[in-house]
Amino acid sequence: MIRRPRLLATGAFAPLRAAAFRALWTAALASQVGTWMQTVGAQWILLQHPHAATTTALIQTATTLPVLFLALPGGALADVFDRRRLLVGIQIVQTAIAGALAVLAGLGALGPAALLALTFGLGCGAALTVAPYQALIPDLVPRPDLPAASALGSLSVNLARAVGPAIAGLLVARIGPVATFALNAASFAAFAVVLSGLRRPAPAAGTRPEPFLAAVRAGERYVRFSPEMRRILVRIALFITPAVALWALLPVLAAHRIGLGPTGYGLLLAAVGAGSIAGAFLLPALRSALSPNRAYAVSAAVYAAVLAVLAVTRSPVVAAAVLVPAGAAWIVVLSNSNAAVQLFLPGWVRARGLSAYQFVFSGSQALAAAAWGVAADRFGVPGPLLAATVLLVLALAAGRWWPYLDTGPLDRGTPVHWPEPHLQVEPEESAGPVVVLLRYRVREDRRRAFVAAMHRVREARLRTGALQWGVFRAGEDPGAMVEIYTVPSWEEHRRQHDERLTAADYDDELEARSYADGEPEVTHLFSGSP
């Protein structure tokens, strides 16, 4: 009998028992190590040029800014097309771009403009990678293991942050930045090979590919009408905007204020990574002891204290020591937020919802990193770090008014099918708009409770396809309550019937119907002749 290693049997590492997830996670880790090596190589090149604070911060911006343009379309592509093949194609392009960086660096022809442009190209690939990669995870591990899988995803990023910069510092000091670019290209190629070997999950019965533009609009509606998603996005933006000051300004802090070389800078990043690894090991215990809101507050307070210390210290030992708890705080906030998104999103819109999360996460990094870099060039490093400290304290306080909403009990993974509509004339799929009218019989003493319950139904209708929604009392019949909503096409309404309703949505609908007498009378109205 083959016994699994004890480490893989524990909650934090349970997802690694799945062979497909283990292979994908390992390949992603190698690719992330390569990316961090390339980042250090690029930043060290730019530190040799004028206006180093601004240009090195622009590496962060060039890497993350593409998310603002590509995250949402990328999420739609990942929900419409084969995610595995899409990822393989992206990695091949990434290999070519990283290879071009290595060639130009080897020829001594890699100036700041070309470096930032090619880094922007890698950022475009990363923006298109995140949503399909994360959307694959629920197909590879059981739902109870999703929080642990999310933590392992954050752990791989921070392992890479610990290992990649340390290796890159040695390579830059001994060989030069060209080695970091070449190894990054190799890591992308290896990732593509592993992805090619994954089996594609069987599509759900009855599902039909969505048109691309309709898929983008459907994803935007789902996020806009999901209070839980909106709250997660607000909380992550409030944390990331000040927290990214550490990543944007650490190269300048290390080189110009503390006086470290590339090896020393790599060791500072390794300290952050070590803290993140420790945070990943502590996450299961923290989830048991602290609510998501309390964990966010503690992490923000720790991170704010670290920024304040970095603003005043010139000691490399002190800087390295305080960066360890910063890494732990970073992974706690990111892992909890990502796990909440993964657990909340249903399969049909998973990649689009994750792309919205990535849009806010990386967009906040891109814009804030550029702002912190410009501020450091003008006022020096300490001032912006202290300003970021104040903003983190305000983010902590904002949790009193905008706490995370509990998504754990909501069943978003189980699709529920409405009964097949019985029409005398079958319309074309493109026919629309379609008005759906449901007539309920509600006694006077139950009307207020019915209307209150229907407001939760409203959110489900709007996030699954409705453009407009309303509930009305019939003037000619006081016992009749009429729900009316409009969808853009018959195809979109059929998707509501067959694919988009989750068990949690259906529970809200059943609660509203419990205040009515009998089943509602349903009518479908079409514009003109169907």
Side-chain angles (χ1 to χ4, degrees), residues 20 54 98 106 142 180 182 188 192 229 248 266 274 290-291 393 406 416-417 422 460 512 516 530:
T54 298
T180 65
F188 285 128
M229 274 294 297
L290 300 176
S291 69
V393 173
D406 189 10
V416 176
H417 300 273
H422 298 290

Side-chain angles (χ1 to χ4, degrees), residues 135-221:
L136 278 177
I137 303 305
D139 295 327
L140 304 179
V141 301
R143 180 176 172 82
D145 287 344
L146 277 180
S150 176
L152 285 170
S154 296
L155 175 62
S156 71
V157 172
N158 289 286
L159 273 172
R161 184 179 285 124
V163 175
I167 297 173
L170 294 173
L171 290 174
V172 169
R174 294 175 179 271
I175 301 174
V178 62
T180 65
F181 302 144
L183 288 173
N184 190 34
S187 73
F188 285 128
F191 195 15
V193 171
V194 172
L195 285 163
S196 299
L198 289 180
R199 291 184 179 181
R200 181 187 178 189
T207 57
R208 308 176 299 280
E210 294 183 62
F212 174 73
L213 291 179
V216 172
R217 289 192 293 268
E220 181 273 331
R221 280 196 305 270

Side-chain angles (χ1 to χ4, degrees), residues 5 18 28 38 63 77 95-96 138 155-156 252 291 318 341 346 389 415 431 465 478 519:
Q38 190 251 289
T63 301
L77 287 172
T95 302
L155 175 62
S156 71
V252 181
S291 69
V318 172
V341 172
T389 301
E519 292 295 310

Side-chain angles (χ1 to χ4, degrees), residues 30-31 33-42 45 91-92 94-107 110 115 118 122 167-168 171-172 175-191:
S31 181
V33 169
T35 297
W36 271 102
M37 290 171 61
Q38 190 251 289
T39 297
V40 172
I45 287 176
Q91 303 318 302
I92 291 172
Q94 296 278 77
T95 302
I97 295 174
L101 276 167
V103 171
L104 290 174
L107 296 174
L110 189 60
L115 176 56
L118 289 170
L122 291 174
I167 297 173
L171 290 174
V172 169
I175 301 174
V178 62
T180 65
F181 302 144
L183 288 173
N184 190 34
S187 73
F188 285 128
F191 195 15

Side-chain angles (χ1 to χ4, degrees), residues 13-394:
F13 294 91
L16 293 175
R17 290 177 295 188
F21 176 81
R22 187 167 62 248
L24 189 64
W25 184 84
T26 304
L29 172 61
S31 181
Q32 289 156 356
V33 169
T35 297
W36 271 102
M37 290 171 61
Q38 190 251 289
T39 297
V40 172
Q43 288 175 331
W44 210 254
I45 287 176
L46 293 176
L47 282 172
Q48 316 311 314
H49 292 270
H51 307 292
T54 298
T55 53
T56 55
L58 285 176
I59 288 291
Q60 183 87 13
T61 300
T63 301
T64 54
L65 187 62
V67 176
L68 296 177
F69 309 103
L70 296 176
L72 298 179
L77 287 172
D79 277 331
V80 170
F81 297 109
D82 184 336
R83 293 165 183 163
R84 182 185 60 85
R85 292 181 179 178
L86 179 63
L87 284 168
V88 169
I90 294 168
Q91 303 318 302
I92 291 172
V93 173
Q94 296 278 77
T95 302
I97 295 174
L101 276 167
V103 171
L104 290 174
L107 296 174
L110 189 60
L115 176 56
L116 289 171
L118 289 170
T119 301
F120 182 82
L122 291 174
C124 291
L128 293 172
T129 295
V130 173
Y133 171 75
Q134 293 192 351
L136 278 177
I137 303 305
D139 295 327
L140 304 179
V141 301
R143 180 176 172 82
D145 287 344
L146 277 180
S150 176
L152 285 170
S154 296
L155 175 62
S156 71
V157 172
N158 289 286
L159 273 172
R161 184 179 285 124
V163 175
I167 297 173
L170 294 173
L171 290 174
V172 169
R174 294 175 179 271
I175 301 174
V178 62
T180 65
F181 302 144
L183 288 173
N184 190 34
S187 73
F188 285 128
F191 195 15
V193 171
V194 172
L195 285 163
S196 299
L198 289 180
R199 291 184 179 181
R200 181 187 178 189
T207 57
R208 308 176 299 280
E210 294 183 62
F212 174 73
L213 291 179
V216 172
R217 289 192 293 268
E220 181 273 331
R221 280 196 305 270
Y222 196 92
V223 172
R224 178 154 50 104
F225 293 107
S226 298
E228 297 86 352
M229 274 294 297
R230 295 199 306 269
R231 189 63 57 83
I232 293 170
L233 298 183
V234 168
R235 296 304 301 278
I236 200 66
L238 289 174
F239 178 80
I240 290 297
T241 298
V244 77
L246 188 152
W247 307 113
L249 302 182
L250 192 58
V252 181
L253 181 77
H256 296 169
R257 187 169 171 83
I258 301 179
L260 297 175
T263 302
Y265 171 54
L267 291 175
L268 289 184
L269 286 175
V272 185
S276 300
I277 295 167
F281 276 96
L282 292 173
L283 265 173
L286 287 174
R287 287 198 177 103
S288 299
L290 300 176
S291 69
N293 288 296
R294 183 64 60 86
Y296 181 103
V298 171
S299 300
V302 169
Y303 206 99
V306 170
L307 291 180
V309 172
L310 291 175
V312 298
T313 188
R314 289 182 178 271
S315 166
V317 175
V318 172
V322 299
L323 285 171
V324 173
W330 177 270
I331 198 174
V332 169
V333 173
L334 267 60
S335 295
N336 283 344
S337 299
N338 188 271
V341 172
Q342 291 270 18
L343 289 169
F344 175 74
L345 291 169
W348 70 269
V349 75
R350 185 186 301 143
R352 281 165 281 183
L354 286 165
S355 71
Y357 173 81
Q358 194 64 27
F359 175 88
V360 173
F361 173 73
S362 295
S364 298
Q365 288 191 80
L367 298 178
W372 293 125
V374 171
D377 251 343
R378 184 168 182 180
F379 304 109
V381 172
L385 286 177
L386 290 174
T389 301
V390 173
L391 289 178
L392 266 175
V393 173
L394 293 175

